[in-house]
Amino acid sequence: MSARYVAGCDGGHSSVRRLAGIRFEGSSYPQTFVLADTEADGVEPGAAHVFLSETGMLFFFPLGTPATWRLLAMRPPADRTPQDAPLVLDEVQALATTYTGGTVRLYDPVWMTNFRLHHRAATHYRAGPVFLAGDAAHVHSPAGAQGMNTGIQDAVNLGWKLALTLRGVTDAALLDTYEAERAPIGRMVLRFTDRAFTIATSTKPVVRFARTRLGPAVIPLR
């Protein structure tokens, strides 16, 4: 079986990117995070919730299935729990208690894990007949919730150009515009998410004050 082109949409650990010899440059954030799909009492259904503290943030996102809530929480800055360490509900509950003041009770978790966040970008979105899109081309923190949209936009941009090229409707030079159009967007998203993540996790007194005092006062006004 052969193909004229390959689109690598195989995530942050992309084999397509590696085999194409495209570098993935950037770094990892030092913090460890917890992700859990779970049931919870004490949070109003049907809305996202954020709990702010001097050490970071805790999020509850309405999920529906396989559990009602997806929890995302940052471990304290001094906590260097490895991302591959086993996780139990008592640990997640302790984090939730710290952030919420004990107002939320977790139960019946479906899935839990520790993880680390990265901000990296492919040095090129194309190597000959090989293209990269989505997380294979760029990974970043979830701040701003732009990851899925950016990846979909990559796929749409590349998809119609490949279709017209393969049908012979246009010259193959059209494919050269994919990286020129999408790489700047990827870099912009990485810059924005990095700044937003830094503000959300900073331990500097001024930033902590803005996050825990000014933010909760200003956001409801908007």
Coordinates of all heavy atoms in Angstrom, one line a residue, residues 213-222:
R213 N -7.7 37.7 44.6 CA -8.5 38.8 45.1 C -9.1 39.6 44.0 O -10.4 39.8 44.0 CB -7.6 39.7 46.0 CG -7.0 39.1 47.2 CD -8.1 38.7 48.3 NE -7.5 38.2 49.5 CZ -7.2 37.0 49.8 NH1 -7.4 36.1 48.9 NH2 -6.6 36.6 50.9
L214 N -8.3 40.1 43.1 CA -8.9 40.9 42.0 C -9.7 40.1 41.0 O -10.8 40.5 40.6 CB -7.7 41.6 41.3 CG -6.9 42.6 42.1 CD1 -5.8 43.3 41.2 CD2 -7.8 43.7 42.7
G215 N -9.2 38.9 40.6 CA -9.9 38.1 39.7 C -11.3 37.7 40.1 O -12.3 38.0 39.3
P216 N -11.5 37.2 41.3 CA -12.9 36.9 41.7 C -13.8 38.1 41.8 O -15.0 38.0 41.7 CB -12.7 36.2 43.1 CG -11.3 35.7 43.1 CD -10.5 36.7 42.2
A217 N -13.2 39.3 42.0 CA -14.0 40.5 42.1 C -14.4 41.0 40.7 O -15.5 41.5 40.5 CB -13.3 41.6 42.9
V218 N -13.5 40.9 39.8 CA -13.7 41.5 38.5 C -14.5 40.6 37.5 O -15.4 41.0 36.8 CB -12.3 41.8 37.8 CG1 -12.5 42.3 36.4 CG2 -11.6 42.9 38.6
I219 N -14.2 39.3 37.6 CA -14.9 38.4 36.6 C -16.4 38.4 36.7 O -17.1 38.5 35.6 CB -14.3 36.9 36.8 CG1 -12.9 36.8 36.4 CG2 -15.2 35.9 36.0 CD1 -12.2 35.5 36.7
P220 N -17.0 38.4 37.9 CA -18.5 38.5 37.9 C -19.0 39.7 37.3 O -20.2 39.7 36.8 CB -18.8 38.4 39.4 CG -17.6 37.7 40.0 CD -16.5 38.2 39.2
L221 N -18.3 40.8 37.4 CA -18.8 42.1 36.8 C -18.9 42.0 35.3 O -19.7 42.7 34.6 CB -17.8 43.2 37.1 CG -17.7 43.5 38.7 CD1 -16.7 44.7 38.9 CD2 -19.0 43.9 39.2
R222 N -18.1 41.2 34.7 CA -18.1 41.0 33.2 C -19.2 40.1 32.8 O -19.6 40.1 31.6 CB -16.8 40.5 32.7 CG -15.6 41.4 32.9 CD -14.4 41.0 32.2 NE -14.7 41.0 30.7 CZ -13.8 40.7 29.8 NH1 -12.6 40.2 30.2 NH2 -14.1 40.7 28.5

